[in-house]
Amino acid sequence: MSMKVGIIGAGPSGLSQLRAFERAQNKGLEIPEIVCFEKQSDWGGLWNYNWRTGVDEAGDPCHGSMYRYLWSNGPKEGLEFADYTFKEHFGKDIASYPPRAVLFDYIKGRLEKTNFRDKIRFNTNVRDVRFHHDTNQFEVISRNNQQDTENTDFFDYLVVATGHFSTPNVPYYEGFDSFNGRILHAHDFRDAREFTSKNILILGTSYSAEDIGSQCWKYGCNSVTVAHRTAPMGFDWPENWQEVPALLKTKGNTAFFKDGTKKEIDAIILCTGYKHHFPFLPDDLRLKTANRLATADLYKGIVWIRNPKLFYLGMQDQWYTFNMFDAQAWYARDIILGKIKVPNISILNSDPLDREKREDALEDDYACIRYQGDYVRELIAETDYPDFDVDAANEAFFLWKKHKKKNIMTFRDQGGFISPMDRSVSPAYNKPWKEELDDRMEVYLK
């Protein structure tokens, strides 16, 4: 096979695409030549923790948004690979909410015993992409940051697997330029110990706000104030954690809120989301979409409708993650291998619009979970990706949602539920929380 496929990114989505081709090759199918570009020095994407913020060692924007003591904020039962279980990887059952290092180990485990790592060009940043209609190929210009050399490749198909949680959305509020404290986006948050004994203000009410607020509380910040634009999270927070209406402005170290209240603060953490950002792509190839379950201009949430030789993986707002990336990667692979035929332009155009309408009609988060579960089921029905119990995965997410509503804002361990609202010791281990984190990562990774 003389065909050549380029993959941009070796995070969970890019690794799913490599895995899809590796599985096809193991079944005796001829696969195309593959080149995967990864700007970091190791695979794993966001799960590859790096202490750096701002710019990386090459002077490019830091990709990672991972902080040191992150734990999975969703149940592993809803994200497990169908062809490679947690038990298969670790040789035993593990907790439902693993630490970052454990998930990183699991993600890369499927390909570590293969030669597919050799297909990845590490420390290589894609600088520019163009599609040439005369040759029907993509031209990809990349730079190896270690060698400081530029290279040009041509591909028949291109897969964008860079994710969309690396370019922060950073709003401005009056007074930020003269605020007498630290202002950072969640993208640059690395260690909650920086905020010990401080009064912190968090803008945003999604997962990052929950996680980072809990981390800072756990590590002894003086107080947590969370400002919301639409509605509060509404959990039964500790006494020194409060939710307030939207921030209006800051003056000195005083924050002023929409309800007329104010508060003295030491640091502001912006949990204000991320942008779909692809500076290496021209307008005719660049995805521009809101962060939603039904992405704009992608047939089946994967195929770029203006050029069906271009694929995007993992661009949806996400309940499902790793197994959804797999389902998408298997689908893209089978189009490339000619096993799935791309429909006519009319269907390409109407498909994302129909999906948006169905999403707009969903009444609550539970319906959204079912919607994305059905989407995953739809994709795997058309490929040889191993079938798995989507309904059971849905139920894991439903239970997680119910626990959160009951303020069981917890991670599960073999010893039971451990509340992040207990700053002192773990009931399961009777150890200080910080020591317990390191101990359990050692146990899981043995």
Side-chain angles (χ1 to χ4, degrees):
M1 181 180 289
S2 60
M3 197 162 37
K4 191 172 180 181
V5 174
I7 303 169
I8 305 176
S13 293
L15 294 184
S16 286
Q17 193 66 74
L18 289 171
R19 174 68 165 184
F21 280 113
E22 188 257 344
R23 292 287 85 188
Q25 185 180 67
N26 285 350
K27 290 186 176 182
L29 296 177
E30 187 180 0
I31 66 171
E33 179 183 351
I34 298 170
V35 176
C36 180
F37 302 92
E38 173 53 50
K39 68 181 294 186
Q40 299 184 101
S41 60
D42 198 5
W43 52 14
L46 291 178
W47 294 94
N48 178 21
Y49 171 76
N50 192 320
W51 61 269
R52 295 179 184 272
T53 61
V55 296
D56 61 21
E57 53 268 52
D60 293 316
C62 267
H63 183 77
S65 300
M66 187 65 58
Y67 52 89
R68 185 176 176 187
Y69 291 126
L70 181 139
W71 289 64
S72 173
N73 63 2
K76 80 178 196 309
E77 290 79 8
L79 55 83
E80 187 171 54
F81 297 126
D83 71 333
Y84 189 73
T85 65
F86 282 94
K87 189 168 186 177
E88 179 182 352
H89 179 73
F90 291 107
K92 57 187 174 184
D93 292 321
I94 69 166
S96 289
Y97 300 88
R100 175 205 60 81
V102 171
L103 283 173
F104 177 51
D105 195 70
Y106 172 66
I107 292 164
K108 62 184 183 176
R110 294 194 299 177
L111 289 167
E112 282 188 322
K113 296 179 181 178
T114 74
N115 65 351
F116 270 62
R117 187 179 172 92
D118 297 340
K119 301 183 185 299
I120 305 174
R121 296 180 188 172
F122 292 104
N123 301 296
T124 301
N125 197 22
V126 171
R127 303 285 293 274
D128 191 61
V129 175
R130 291 289 184 270
F131 184 75
H132 297 287
H133 292 276
D134 55 342
T135 61
N136 213 24
Q137 286 186 316
F138 297 92
E139 179 184 9
V140 175
I141 299 174
S142 62
R143 177 169 292 277
N144 183 299
N145 294 322
Q146 281 190 328
Q147 301 171 5
D148 195 26
T149 55
E150 191 169 273
N151 195 64
T152 300
D153 293 270
F154 292 89
F155 298 100
D156 300 285
Y157 292 91
L158 191 64
V159 180
V160 179
T162 54
H164 59 97
F165 296 112
S166 60
T167 301
N169 174 48
V170 182
Y172 171 77
Y173 287 83
E174 180 184 344
F176 270 18
D177 50 352
S178 58
F179 178 68
N180 296 321
R182 176 100 151 94
I183 301 177
L184 70 157
H185 191 276
H187 176 67
D188 293 321
F189 179 86
R190 291 294 181 270
D191 195 326
R193 290 175 295 185
E194 176 183 350
F195 304 100
T196 299
S197 301
K198 295 187 181 297
N199 296 304
I200 66 169
L201 170 64
I202 293 177
L203 304 188
T205 56
S206 193
Y207 304 125
S208 292
E210 295 175 11
D211 290 352
I212 290 175
S214 296
Q215 284 267 320
C216 291
W217 193 95
K218 193 65 129 172
Y219 278 93
C221 72
N222 191 50
S223 68
V224 179
T225 303
V226 182
H228 57 83
R229 289 186 302 171
T230 53
M233 291 181 277
F235 299 116
D236 185 15
W237 300 113
E239 289 183 1
N240 60 343
W241 183 316
Q242 67 177 128
E243 297 193 77
V244 297
L247 175 70
L248 293 180
K249 64 178 181 179
T250 61
K251 186 175 182 180
N253 278 75
T254 306
F256 297 85
F257 305 105
K258 192 175 181 179
D259 63 352
T261 61
K262 60 183 179 180
K263 185 166 184 176
E264 293 296 305
I265 53 173
D266 302 304
I268 301 172
I269 304 175
L270 306 174
C271 296
T272 46
Y274 292 85
K275 298 178 179 180
H276 288 70
H277 187 61
F278 313 100
F280 51 88
L281 292 174
D283 285 345
D284 62 333
L285 300 177
R286 191 186 318 141
L287 175 66
K288 299 177 182 179
T289 183
N291 186 35
R292 57 180 299 162
L293 301 178
T295 47
D297 299 325
L298 294 180
Y299 171 71
K300 297 273 187 174
I302 306 165
V303 184
W304 181 240
I305 62 174
R306 298 169 196 168
N307 186 333
K309 301 189 79 176
L310 175 66
F311 308 93
Y312 284 87
L313 304 183
M315 295 299 157
Q316 293 74 14
D317 193 12
Q318 294 158 9
W319 299 96
Y320 283 77
T321 51
F322 303 157
N323 43 29
M324 181 175 72
F325 307 154
D326 271 6
Q328 293 176 331
W330 257 251
Y331 194 91
R333 178 205 68 185
D334 283 357
I335 290 178
I336 294 169
L337 296 181
K339 298 173 70 175
I340 293 177
K341 184 178 178 181
V342 175
N344 61 45
I345 189 64
S346 175
I347 295 175
L348 286 175
N349 287 332
S350 64
D351 177 81
L353 297 177
D354 291 342
R355 293 178 190 276
E356 288 178 7
K357 288 179 183 176
R358 294 202 299 273
E359 181 189 355
D360 290 341
L362 300 174
E363 66 275 11
D364 57 22
D365 285 345
Y366 296 96
C368 290
I369 292 167
R370 293 188 190 93
Y371 174 93
Q372 194 155 73
D374 288 342
Y375 167 66
V376 172
R377 191 166 10 218
E378 173 190 347
L379 294 179
I380 64 178
E382 299 187 49
T383 70
D384 65 352
Y385 186 67
D387 195 13
F388 68 95
D389 194 337
V390 172
D391 291 330
N394 284 348
E395 288 299 326
F397 287 121
F398 296 160
L399 182 62
W400 167 70
K401 287 288 295 180
K402 290 172 183 174
H403 283 165
K404 289 178 70 174
K405 287 296 182 184
K406 293 177 181 177
N407 195 36
I408 308 177
M409 301 269 307
T410 59
F411 40 83
R412 183 180 286 122
D413 188 85
Q414 293 162 338
F417 282 103
I418 302 171
S419 170
M421 295 302 119
D422 173 10
R423 288 199 235 194
S424 54
V425 297
S426 153
Y429 283 79
N430 196 32
K431 278 189 175 184
W433 189 73
K434 288 177 280 189
E435 293 178 25
E436 172 200 323
L437 286 174
D438 294 330
D439 285 354
R440 276 191 275 177
M441 281 191 255
E442 292 277 342
V443 168
Y444 290 156
L445 296 176
K446 279 183 179 177

